[in-house]
Amino acid sequence: MRNLLRWETALVFLLIVVALTGQVSTDGSFLSGGNLFYLGLDIGEIALIALPLTLVIVAGEIDLSVASVLGLSSALIGWLWNAGWSLELILPTVIVVGAICGAFNGFLVTKLGLPSLAVTIGTLALYRGLALVVLGDTAVADFPASYTAFGTTPVPGTNIPYPIVLAAILAVLFGVALHASSFGRSVYAIGANEEGARFSGIRVKRVKLILFVLAGAVAAIAGIVYTFRFSSARADNGLGLELAVVAAVLLGGVSIFGGKGSLFGVLAGVLLLGGLRNLLILQDTSTEVLTIVTGLLLLVSVLAPSITRRVGTLRKATP
Amino acid sequence: MDRPPVVALDEVSKSFGAVRALSGVSLRLLPGEAHALLGENGAGKSTLIKTLAGVHRPDSGRVEVDGSERRFSTPADALAAGIAIIYQEPTLFGDLSVAENVFMGRQPLGFGRRIDEAAMHARTSELFSRLGVRLDPARPARGLSIADQQLVEIAKALSFDARVIVMDEPTAALSAHEVQRLFGVVQALRAQDAAVLFVSHRLDEVFSLCQRATVLRDGEFVWSGPLTDETPDSLVRRMVGRELSQLFPKEDTAAGDVLLSVQRLTREGVFTDVSFDVRAGEIVALSGLVGAGRSEVARAVFGIDRPDGGSVHVRGRKLKYGSPTAAMAAGIGFVPEDRRQQGLVMDASIERNTALASLGRLSTFGLLRRSSERALAQDWAVKLRLKFAKLSDPVGVLSGGNQQKVVLAKWLARKPSVLIVDEPTRGIDVGTKAEVHRLLSELAGQGVAVLMISSELPEVLGMADRVLVMHEGRLVEELSRAEATEERVAMAAAGQAVTR
Ligand SMILES: Nc1ncnc2c1ncn2[C@@H]1O[C@H](COP(=O)(O)OP(=O)(O)OP(=O)(O)O)[C@@H](O)[C@H]1O
Ligand SMILES: [Mg+2]
């Protein structure tokens, strides 16, 4: 626990450093209201998906199919819209489909006992493939302005984009679920010692299934946000986004081996990752470099705990 | 006795933060002796051993081997100096075979530097036969009972041909039969002039194996000397610092309704046709050798494993197969044998572990009441005389016996009406053991049905209203309290019961 707190303090410190260097190197435009709005928009989907994914990873599992669920839900929106459905009907449908995608992952993991890494690599391809079947490589863009404004205008009187408001509300819900509820305790126990959790009467499979369903549903919500933000439903929306989300979660101090981490850390991780990416975009960095930076951050966050441990034992060993 | 010690620890101190685990402790281990290291839970025995092994560095003091000072920085260094150690908690690699665990890191190599599996298995079998263990060297370590895990660790330590063998509670889960075999091996080692340091809370074992002993109390050295003039009572007095009654026999209660009824329960290849009842107010002991299937029956009753046939009824209602949640809802509590894997979440705090089986009761609309959680943990920590620094400390830093108390607290806190305990006092010291026995007796007095698995015969004879004996997966004998004697239980466990 103490290690975790130290890591979170370090994250906040890093955030301040990034903010200040950003501010200086961009002559003050980094922290300007306008840029903060775009930064918020940019991290909206990552922040959303990171919430349930945190719980999944704390429980010792992983879901790599989330970005594909995002793409599938975007494609579905376009297809159903073309088919003449109303958006009031489309949106709940899409969320249910996302939940079903998650449930399918959860079923394969809990009922068939397959490793979630393999399962969700499979469904990563499967769901993206389905998205392409649904919509092909066309784009649907003629959504009503009342919906797309959601992604292009801030909450009146502020610089806060609507997706961030949504993410904040969900963050509170997920935070309470993970840190203050008996469900959250079960999640930690499963991640730290699955056998021990079973011996304590925790319904391990059910908890895991719920987590996968949540991940699917929230990924679908992120798909809705994404679609209206760019006013474009496409099958390849959010391609590769799982990398950024997993990086943010691990950067936030969640152990890839399960059992450890906090939602607060993950939110800091999302901000840090988003801030860095935004800063690089402001400086006209190419997308390849962005991907490289994300990958490096992922590596750093996986390596950091073992490095700090190594340093810790070294310090102990030399009196 | 004038021979120089092989190992000498001199004024060793070790603190963990504010906890002083050892302060100025000395120990001399002579060649050819079996030396007992005694003390209450948390007295510092395991810490002393880990200091000798190079797992911990002493804050001050010296470790000497053959008269010259040594500073081990890893267990491998200690091994190289001829010191083999069996730690309190078995740490086998589950995915590796038993033989690979025994020969970890020094597997015999054959042609082309490939691991010579046949040689490895043969040498493992040879070690097992010295110990009288029947285990397949090729099977994976995962799923071994805690006693078998301990036997594998013992075989591993023996395989080093070390001059000093340190055993931290090796017998805690073993029944009399395996203990006798182990002692035979230790005598043979002594004859070859090896020194053995032995930790156990079972004083009868200490007297039958050891010549000298060292006693610690709260991290301080209390006494060291020959056992010839000592009695169990005098040793307990040294450990506790006051008089203590050693055994707490169960009080008689009138047995009530049948609460737990097990009918023809069968798991193929594990146990067959096991039937018994446990009534309210009764303590029923399930006795037998290691591997007789006792723990497996308990696991199946609690729903961890799915039986192939038979049924379990609680208060006359049939229990759903394979669901611990259903078993708990019916009022069953289960203290498992392996605290590291099954009983506790080692990284989680003491209070979280205590609360883990009571989450429902501690929350309102799914939200956990932290204050109730803390109060629960605090309450049981006092009741079981837990030795700890903070309730928010990870349970993994507690001493072995104190970890066991947390497992007990976790289940007693649920107030079960049927309590299954598998080696409930494994690693628990004499004083607290009497306390646990008093608690179990009190629970029975309140109408709880207790099913107790224990490898310790005095515990079985002192606590049980009835003793059921298993042999190779079958119930072979049922003895009333009056009929149950050491001989009869041991005979039945060895498969020589007068058939029922
Ligand atoms: N890694 C650690 N961090 C903090 N405290 C520790 C650590 N290891 C041991 N302690 C503390 O040191 C004290 C001595 O523990 P130790 O394990 O040596 O007891 P023990 O005599 O082996 O007891 P038992 O009979 O229960 O096994 C205990 O209070 C324990 O909580
Ligand atoms: Mg110990």
Side-chain angles (χ1 to χ4, degrees):
Chain A
M1 203 65 206
R2 209 177 326 132
N3 272 334
L4 202 63
L5 289 184
R6 225 181 288 144
W7 179 249
E8 284 160 5
T9 325
L11 276 182
V12 172
F13 178 74
L14 273 177
L15 265 179
I16 295 171
V17 169
V18 168
L20 290 182
T21 32
Q23 188 71 343
V24 171
S25 65
T26 58
D27 291 326
S29 63
F30 182 62
L31 289 183
S32 70
N35 187 54
L36 283 183
F37 173 72
Y38 283 111
L39 172 61
L41 272 186
D42 208 35
I43 63 173
E45 295 89 18
I46 298 181
L48 281 168
I49 301 177
L51 299 173
L53 199 66
T54 300
L55 273 65
V56 170
I57 297 180
V58 168
E61 301 290 343
I62 185 101
D63 186 350
L64 294 178
S65 73
V66 279
S68 298
V69 174
L70 186 155
L72 177 58
S73 81
S74 186
L76 262 183
I77 294 171
W79 184 60
L80 293 174
W81 179 248
N82 276 348
W85 287 36
S86 75
L87 281 171
E88 287 75 23
L89 206 59
I90 291 177
L91 301 192
T93 308
V94 161
I95 295 174
V96 169
V97 171
I100 292 172
C101 289
F104 183 61
N105 286 333
F107 172 81
L108 293 179
V109 171
T110 60
K111 289 286 182 299
L112 302 189
L114 303 172
S116 54
L117 184 68
V119 165
T120 58
I121 284 178
T123 52
L124 176 149
L126 174 66
Y127 298 154
R128 186 66 74 183
L130 284 178
L132 285 165
V133 169
V134 167
L135 206 60
D137 51 5
T138 59
V140 178
D142 54 343
F143 299 111
S146 57
Y147 277 87
T148 52
F150 175 78
T152 46
T153 54
V155 177
T158 67
N159 288 311
I160 306 170
Y162 281 101
I164 289 298
V165 177
L166 184 62
I169 294 171
L170 286 182
V172 171
L173 292 179
F174 276 98
V176 169
L178 183 61
H179 294 297
S181 80
S182 53
F183 180 78
R185 282 301 161 77
S186 312
V187 172
Y188 276 107
I190 291 170
N193 180 357
E194 186 168 328
E195 190 180 3
R198 217 164 103 66
F199 272 80
S200 305
I202 291 169
R203 295 182 205 204
V204 174
K205 291 182 175 175
R206 198 164 85 158
V207 169
K208 284 188 178 174
L209 186 65
I210 292 174
L211 293 182
F212 278 107
V213 169
L214 284 174
V218 174
I221 293 176
I224 297 171
V225 170
Y226 200 106
T227 306
F228 291 137
R229 178 152 81 88
F230 292 104
S231 187
S232 161
R234 296 175 55 95
D236 63 353
N237 274 350
L239 194 66
L241 198 72
E242 67 279 341
L243 179 67
V245 184
V246 173
V249 172
L250 298 189
L251 193 60
V254 175
S255 164
I256 188 75
F257 304 111
K260 291 194 187 73
S262 77
L263 213 64
F264 174 78
V266 169
L267 292 178
V270 170
L271 276 180
L272 187 61
L273 185 81
L276 275 176
R277 283 165 59 110
N278 178 273
L279 196 57
L280 292 172
I281 291 172
L282 283 185
Q283 279 154 354
D284 290 329
T285 317
S286 64
T287 47
E288 294 80 31
V289 173
L290 278 183
T291 311
I292 291 173
V293 168
T294 312
L296 282 177
L297 277 178
L298 190 85
L299 279 180
V300 167
S301 49
V302 175
L303 286 177
S306 53
I307 291 172
T308 43
R309 208 178 316 125
R310 195 71 55 80
V311 171
T313 42
L314 272 185
R315 230 189 273 146
K316 241 194 334 198
T318 45
Chain B
M1 280 284 156
D2 283 322
R3 304 175 62 188
V6 253
V7 168
L9 291 144
D10 211 20
E11 293 287 318
V12 170
S13 297
K14 175 77 194 173
S15 296
F16 299 100
V19 180
R20 257 190 104 85
L22 294 173
S23 42
V25 173
S26 302
L27 176 85
R28 286 190 169 14
L29 203 55
L30 307 176
E33 78 164 340
H35 191 115
L37 181 58
L38 303 172
E40 288 185 283
N41 292 139
K45 304 179 295 292
S46 298
T47 308
L48 191 71
I49 287 167
K50 287 181 185 159
T51 315
L52 171 61
V55 176
H56 294 321
R57 253 178 203 229
D59 299 336
S60 64
R62 292 155 58 89
V63 177
E64 285 177 13
V65 178
D66 292 328
S68 53
E69 176 164 10
R70 300 295 295 267
R71 280 175 184 273
F72 301 133
S73 44
T74 64
D77 294 351
L79 257 179
I83 304 174
I85 300 195
I86 302 166
Y87 295 99
Q88 188 166 6
E89 306 296 335
T91 43
L92 300 177
F93 295 92
D95 293 324
L96 298 185
S97 74
V98 164
E100 279 168 322
N101 268 289
V102 171
F103 287 98
M104 191 70 228
R106 52 201 175 93
Q107 293 89 340
L109 297 179
F111 180 72
R113 296 194 54 77
R114 280 212 307 242
I115 293 177
D116 186 347
E117 295 243 349
M120 191 164 72
H121 289 174
R123 282 167 63 179
T124 308
S125 299
E126 185 195 325
L127 285 164
F128 283 166
S129 67
R130 264 169 82 189
L131 285 166
V133 179
R134 279 188 299 169
L135 267 181
D136 177 10
R139 67 155 287 169
R142 189 180 306 290
L144 284 180
S145 75
I146 193 78
D148 285 334
Q149 291 179 41
Q150 226 146 18
L151 289 166
V152 174
E153 292 279 7
I154 292 171
K156 180 175 174 181
L158 295 179
S159 71
F160 287 103
D161 287 321
R163 292 178 307 143
V164 177
I165 298 188
V166 180
M167 305 181 167
D168 196 350
E169 304 198 24
T171 57
L174 303 188
S175 68
H177 175 77
E178 294 86 32
V179 171
Q180 282 317 316
R181 295 299 286 254
L182 174 63
F183 285 6
V185 174
V186 168
Q187 300 298 7
L189 288 171
R190 280 184 54 214
Q192 297 160 17
D193 237 13
V196 176
L197 185 64
F198 179 74
V199 179
S200 173
H201 292 291
R202 301 178 180 176
L203 291 179
D204 50 335
E205 292 179 358
V206 168
F207 278 96
S208 73
L209 183 73
C210 302
Q211 294 77 54
R212 296 198 313 134
T214 296
V215 176
L216 308 182
R217 189 194 311 150
D218 290 333
E220 307 212 7
F221 172 86
V222 174
W223 174 83
S224 186
L227 282 168
T228 36
D229 302 328
E230 297 293 318
T231 63
D233 283 332
S234 71
L235 281 183
V236 169
R237 213 174 308 127
R238 292 186 197 280
M239 284 190 267
V240 190
R242 59 195 154 85
E243 290 293 334
L244 203 72
S245 72
Q246 263 202 63
L247 271 182
F248 183 92
K250 179 186 183 279
E251 282 159 3
D252 276 331
T253 43
D257 300 340
V258 172
L259 291 191
L260 175 70
S261 171
V262 174
Q263 294 306 324
R264 310 203 59 166
L265 206 63
T266 301
R267 261 196 89 200
E268 241 129 77
V270 186
F271 53 84
T272 315
D273 255 357
V274 173
S275 306
F276 60 89
D277 290 344
V278 186
R279 294 170 173 274
E282 236 187 351
I283 297 183
V284 173
L286 206 49
S287 203
L289 300 184
V290 164
R294 299 166 299 166
S295 300
E296 288 72 11
V297 170
R299 287 168 60 114
V301 170
F302 188 65
I304 297 288
D305 302 323
R306 218 168 238 285
D308 297 319
S311 65
V312 176
H313 287 78
V314 177
R315 290 180 193 278
R317 293 190 55 186
K318 188 168 190 299
L319 205 64
K320 198 173 134 193
Y321 271 168
S323 163
T325 321
M328 281 165 70
I332 304 186
F334 178 40
V335 174
E337 55 169 352
D338 186 344
R339 53 185 171 245
R340 231 174 87 91
Q341 305 286 342
Q342 304 164 346
L344 296 170
V345 180
M346 282 299 175
D347 290 337
S349 66
I350 299 170
E351 52 189 357
R352 286 192 174 203
N353 271 289
T354 311
L356 196 58
S358 310
L359 290 177
R361 196 156 57 79
L362 293 172
S363 25
T364 329
F365 301 122
L367 294 184
L368 213 65
R369 297 186 308 273
R370 293 268 173 98
S371 53
S372 312
E373 180 184 36
R374 175 150 292 211
L376 183 89
Q378 182 68 47
D379 195 29
W380 282 98
V382 172
K383 272 192 196 150
L384 294 176
R385 281 197 260 137
L386 189 72
K387 191 173 177 224
F388 66 102
K390 290 199 304 294
L391 284 176
S392 53
D393 285 341
V395 78
V397 309
L398 294 180
S399 80
N402 282 297
Q403 292 175 8
Q404 184 66 23
K405 293 183 199 173
V406 177
V407 187
L408 281 170
K410 168 177 163 183
W411 286 102
L412 295 180
R414 272 188 66 81
K415 302 199 190 333
S417 56
V418 175
L419 181 62
I420 306 175
V421 288
D422 196 351
E423 305 288 355
T425 58
R426 181 166 79 89
I428 281 189
D429 64 34
V430 183
T432 316
K433 197 179 278 183
E435 189 58 28
V436 170
H437 289 167
R438 201 185 56 72
L439 258 163
L440 289 178
S441 169
E442 200 177 290
L443 285 174
Q446 292 161 7
V448 175
V450 181
L451 179 65
M452 179 177 82
I453 298 172
S454 170
S455 297
E456 207 184 335
L457 263 181
E459 180 166 83
V460 168
L461 300 179
M463 293 301 294
D465 295 303
R466 271 187 299 140
V467 182
L468 308 173
V469 187
M470 285 187 75
H471 175 71
E472 296 187 345
R474 285 174 187 276
L475 266 187
V476 291
E477 180 80 293
E478 174 169 349
L479 300 166
S480 69
R481 194 184 180 87
E483 295 166 330
T485 61
E486 210 154 309
E487 291 75 39
R488 287 195 72 172
V489 176
M491 290 283 278
Q496 290 155 7
V498 198
T499 37
R500 302 157 75 190

